[in-house]
Amino acid sequence: MPVNDEPQPSDAMVQIASGAAKVLVVEDEETLLFALAHNLRHEGYTVVTASRGDDALKLARETRPDLVVLDVMLPGVDGMQVCRLLRRDTAIPIIMLTALGGEGDRVAGLDTGADDYVPKPFGMRELLARVRALLRRTAPRDEAEAGPAVVRSGDIEIDRVRREVRRDGTALKLKPKEFELLLFFVRHPGRVFSREQILDEVWGYDFYGGPRTVDVHVRWLRQKVERDPAEPVRIRTVRGSGYIFEG
Ligand code: CA
């Protein structure tokens, strides 16, 4: 006789529910590092910490975290450089922390391949919400929900599972957000989207970068998918409205 016939959640669900992901926190301010580590552990994450950029790179290689919370100003190797080096060979989600506030700095942060950018000072609850959101967005999705593994548009082929893009059979190097933006466009050809709609759909929640973030990523993407980025025919600007992807 079954003792318990309640449906049991799968291992993957248990992991998401208990937040058992591993987070690497890199911050040289001792008090903040302690607070971040303490709060993340309280949420159920496994936490590894580093207070120098060079140590962070070593730890990332050794412990293979699921997400990195990364301060910009660090001794050893600075956060921007750490981000660039991590991005060179992984798609690991990265949230950057910084005291710098100007848009130029935000764009520089995104240019290094960070997925999110949280200016200091920030509330711990907000940071935890962003960690959760980013892990949710980057977690492998249910196949049926996500659609076919390979999506095609003209000479562009996107392999969603391997996160690879080819044009005319040649592999393109895309940053994680460029990849998601292209996938979004290819799945919605012939429709005009405002920058705000694109932010909602691709970035998924209130993002500090603002609508210009979309313009920056569209510009980068055009460099890679347009024959002539100066005269784009795929991702066209609709003046006063936003962007449209011509299939
Ligand atoms: Ca610092």
Side-chain angles (χ1 to χ4, degrees):
M1 203 167 95
V3 177
N4 179 0
D5 56 6
E6 289 277 298
Q8 298 299 309
S10 72
D11 288 346
M13 281 172 72
V14 169
Q15 179 169 0
I16 288 165
S18 66
K22 190 187 292 170
V23 180
L24 168 61
V25 184
V26 192
E27 169 61 74
D28 59 326
E29 283 167 50
E30 214 177 305
T31 319
L32 182 55
L33 179 62
F34 179 83
L36 284 164
H38 175 78
N39 280 280
L40 286 162
R41 285 197 183 106
H42 186 72
E43 293 284 298
Y45 298 109
T46 302
V47 179
V48 280
T49 63
S51 51
R52 297 176 52 92
D54 39 4
D55 292 343
L57 288 167
K58 194 162 161 277
L59 262 180
R61 271 195 300 273
E62 289 170 2
T63 65
R64 303 190 163 273
D66 300 296
L67 181 142
V68 182
V69 176
L70 179 62
D71 187 31
V72 169
M73 306 289 212
L74 289 171
V77 179
D78 77 69
M80 296 281 188
Q81 186 63 10
V82 171
C83 186
R84 250 178 240 117
L85 292 169
L86 286 176
R87 263 294 169 275
R88 212 164 52 182
D89 40 35
T90 70
I92 186 169
I94 299 173
I95 298 178
M96 297 207 75
L97 306 177
T98 183
L100 310 171
E103 187 177 34
D105 299 316
R106 278 202 291 273
V107 171
L110 293 170
D111 193 20
T112 60
D115 297 271
D116 201 357
Y117 192 94
V118 180
K120 289 178 179 175
F122 54 84
M124 198 55 75
R125 287 167 69 126
E126 186 194 347
L127 184 90
L128 293 172
R130 282 164 180 259
V131 166
R132 254 194 320 274
L134 188 51
L135 281 171
R136 201 165 46 229
R137 279 188 296 129
T138 50
R141 287 199 201 151
D142 184 74
E143 285 306 299
E145 178 200 338
V150 176
V151 187
R152 286 187 186 80
S153 173
D155 59 359
I156 296 203
E157 188 181 282
I158 305 177
D159 188 324
R160 220 174 29 73
V161 176
R162 292 161 163 250
R163 293 183 75 84
E164 289 171 356
V165 179
R166 281 175 292 275
R167 193 175 86 183
D168 266 342
T170 307
L172 301 178
K173 261 193 104 163
L174 264 58
K175 299 190 181 88
K177 267 291 167 290
E178 294 171 347
F179 178 88
E180 284 167 38
L181 182 60
L182 179 62
L183 186 59
F184 171 73
F185 276 138
V186 168
R187 281 174 161 173
H188 303 90
R191 275 176 64 186
V192 179
F193 290 96
S194 70
R195 290 164 176 80
E196 288 74 17
Q197 283 173 320
I198 295 171
L199 272 181
D200 276 356
E201 294 288 340
V202 178
W203 275 261
Y205 56 100
D206 188 27
F207 180 78
Y208 272 107
R212 230 186 80 65
T213 302
V214 176
D215 299 335
V216 172
H217 282 81
V218 163
R219 195 167 70 231
W220 290 338
L221 204 46
R222 281 173 173 162
Q223 302 287 341
K224 297 172 183 175
V225 304
E226 298 283 356
R227 301 233 173 257
D228 179 2
E231 296 283 339
V233 295
R234 282 208 151 103
I235 308 170
R236 286 200 304 107
T237 304
V238 181
R239 209 160 286 284
S241 298
Y243 295 103
I244 183 168
F245 182 78
E246 307 284 8

